[in-house]
Amino acid sequence: MSRREQPNTLLRELGIPVGELQTKQDFESQKTESAVTKTAMKNHSSVTEFILTGLTDQPELQLPLFILFLANHIATVVGNLSLMSLIFLNSDLQTPMYFFLFNLSFIDLCYSFVFTPKTLMSFVSEKNTISFRGCMTQLFFFCFFANSECYVLTAMAYDRYVAICQPLLYMVIMSPRTCSLIMFGSYFMGFAGAIVHTGFMIRLNFCDSNIINHYLCDIFPLLQLSCSSTYANELVSSVVIGTVVLASSTVILMSYALILFNVTQLSSGKGLYKAMSTCSSHIITVALFYGLGMLTHIKTSSDESVDQGKLLSIFYTFLLPLLNPFIYSLRNNDVKLALKRSLRRLIVNEALGLP
């Protein structure tokens, strides 16, 4: 008799079923493996907060940068609120063009509040932390307002095309209902894109490091921290961003191509100058928005390139919301005239003691 058969024979003689004992042993082994698996999963838990490295770790630059970015934020808020108030209070600016400009200023105003307060805190606090939920919330609104601005700039290009190429049908085509639907679609598409980006980011596991080499929760700095596969996130980000950029840039380029074709048919130099002057502010804004945006979101792996991307994103996130109201104010005769009338009315009311 072999050694393997001896224990089984002994168990049969004692009246103990061999199969039942083996089943119990298998069950105990499965329970042990399950406990080990649960323990491993607990040790593999996701982080609950992130640490933002900010713009610089040099103490002598903290105070000057705090003052600089605080002044930038105040100027951004004042500039955009002033332009929105000017458009709202002047009946001469109640046109589709300024309706879209009002929404552009509103987006820039909200956009600046997404990351500026946290950036300012990084200059005065020793450890700049943000909770996981706070980081995902910041990412959502960052994507929402950035995507919405793309579509608003696209709508503004189409508005200029209709105004210049089909002036007699302008108020019919760009009716208040149509403008409202366009804006609703812009915000809805921005919301959908932000939901996709944030949803795919939440599904990732962050377990190795919680230090974000940035001053805000952006897509690619977060992907670098994930300890799970980021292939789906990178694919979705490329598809969503590519679709937004391709669709909006196609409409903008086609609109200005048709504008240029119609403008070249004008025999009057004055008419040519007037047509192009109405588009110059929008062209500058589009060039800055897409140019800086593409430079900022080019994915690179080296530490030097990451720092360069962080520097470029300053112009994209802080400078553009500041410049937009000044670009449209200084290069737009209607806005300058409305501003003069508002100031004159304010001075007269103050002199007469009227509210």
Side-chain angles (χ1 to χ4, degrees):
M1 182 181 296
S2 64
R3 292 183 178 180
R4 292 184 178 179
E5 294 176 353
Q6 287 178 358
N8 294 340
T9 304
L10 181 61
L11 290 172
R12 291 191 189 97
E13 291 176 356
L14 295 173
I16 301 175
V18 177
E20 181 180 347
L21 181 62
Q22 290 177 343
T23 303
K24 289 182 178 179
Q25 289 176 344
D26 293 340
F27 178 74
E28 292 295 331
S29 175
Q30 290 176 0
K31 284 179 65 179
T32 304
E33 290 177 359
S34 177
V36 171
T37 303
K38 289 181 179 179
T39 304
M41 289 178 66
K42 289 180 180 178
N43 294 334
H44 193 68
S45 60
S46 299
V47 299
T48 57
E49 67 175 15
F50 294 101
I51 300 174
L52 297 169
T53 59
L55 291 171
T56 181
D57 56 356
Q58 301 180 27
E60 64 274 11
L61 295 178
Q62 302 290 341
L63 182 59
L65 287 176
F66 175 82
I67 297 173
L68 178 63
F69 281 87
L70 179 61
N72 175 276
H73 183 58
I74 293 173
T76 300
V77 172
V78 172
N80 284 287
L81 278 178
S82 299
L83 185 57
M84 291 170 62
S85 302
L86 200 63
I87 294 172
F88 181 77
L89 296 174
N90 284 269
S91 58
D92 294 337
L93 301 181
Q94 304 295 320
T95 63
M97 173 183 173
Y98 295 105
F99 171 76
F100 293 125
L101 182 55
F102 179 92
N103 282 274
L104 181 66
S105 293
F106 173 75
I107 290 173
D108 285 335
L109 179 66
C110 297
Y111 186 66
S112 67
F113 279 101
V114 172
F115 42 79
T116 302
K118 198 64 183 173
T119 304
L120 291 175
M121 287 178 61
S122 68
F123 296 128
V124 296
S125 59
E126 294 182 2
K127 190 177 181 182
N128 186 26
T129 61
I130 183 171
S131 66
F132 181 84
R133 289 185 178 181
C135 187
M136 294 300 107
T137 302
Q138 187 183 64
L139 175 66
F140 171 80
F141 283 106
F142 174 71
C143 295
F144 171 63
F145 289 119
N147 289 341
S148 298
E149 185 157 346
C150 283
Y151 293 115
V152 172
L153 290 173
T154 305
M156 294 175 75
Y158 176 73
D159 172 75
R160 291 299 83 206
Y161 156 72
V162 177
I164 294 173
C165 300
Q166 301 183 27
L168 297 179
L169 298 175
Y170 177 63
M171 296 308 298
V172 177
I173 297 175
M174 303 302 294
S175 63
R177 182 175 181 274
T178 302
C179 293
S180 299
L181 288 174
I182 291 174
M183 278 312 309
F184 174 78
S186 299
Y187 286 123
F188 178 78
M189 293 299 292
F191 176 82
I195 283 290
V196 171
H197 283 302
T198 310
F200 272 81
M201 192 64 69
I202 290 175
R203 61 180 284 275
L204 295 179
N205 288 323
F206 299 94
C207 51
D208 295 334
S209 174
N210 66 336
I211 301 176
I212 301 176
N213 186 20
H214 215 288
Y215 59 86
L216 58 87
C217 293
D218 202 355
I219 296 173
F220 293 120
L222 282 170
L223 291 181
Q224 293 175 351
L225 300 182
S226 176
C227 55
S228 56
S229 175
T230 60
Y231 174 76
N233 293 68
E234 293 175 2
L235 179 63
V236 168
S237 296
S238 300
V239 171
V240 173
I241 295 174
T243 301
V244 172
V245 172
L246 183 63
S248 57
S249 59
T250 299
V251 174
I252 291 172
L253 290 174
M254 287 183 62
S255 297
Y256 279 110
L258 293 172
I259 289 173
L260 185 62
F261 175 77
N262 280 269
V263 163
T264 54
Q265 307 301 317
L266 296 175
S267 57
S268 172
K270 185 178 180 181
L272 175 62
Y273 172 78
K274 184 178 180 180
M276 294 308 298
S277 64
T278 60
C279 300
S280 58
S281 299
H282 183 257
I283 293 173
I284 294 172
T285 303
V286 169
L288 289 173
F289 183 82
Y290 283 97
L292 292 174
M294 290 177 65
L295 290 174
T296 301
H297 290 93
I298 292 176
K299 186 181 177 182
T300 50
S301 57
S302 65
D303 292 338
E304 184 179 353
S305 298
V306 169
D307 292 335
Q308 290 176 356
K310 193 192 301 185
L311 181 63
L312 285 171
S313 67
I314 295 174
F315 296 97
Y316 184 74
T317 54
F318 289 98
L319 194 61
L320 279 180
L322 171 67
L323 289 179
N324 282 343
F326 293 100
I327 290 173
Y328 281 97
S329 299
L330 298 176
R331 299 189 59 85
N332 192 300
N333 291 327
D334 293 336
V335 173
K336 287 189 286 188
L337 289 174
L339 180 60
K340 290 178 181 178
R341 284 195 298 267
S342 297
L343 291 175
R344 192 181 303 117
R345 190 183 307 120
L346 182 62
I347 293 172
V348 171
N349 291 342
E350 286 290 335
L352 299 176
L354 299 174

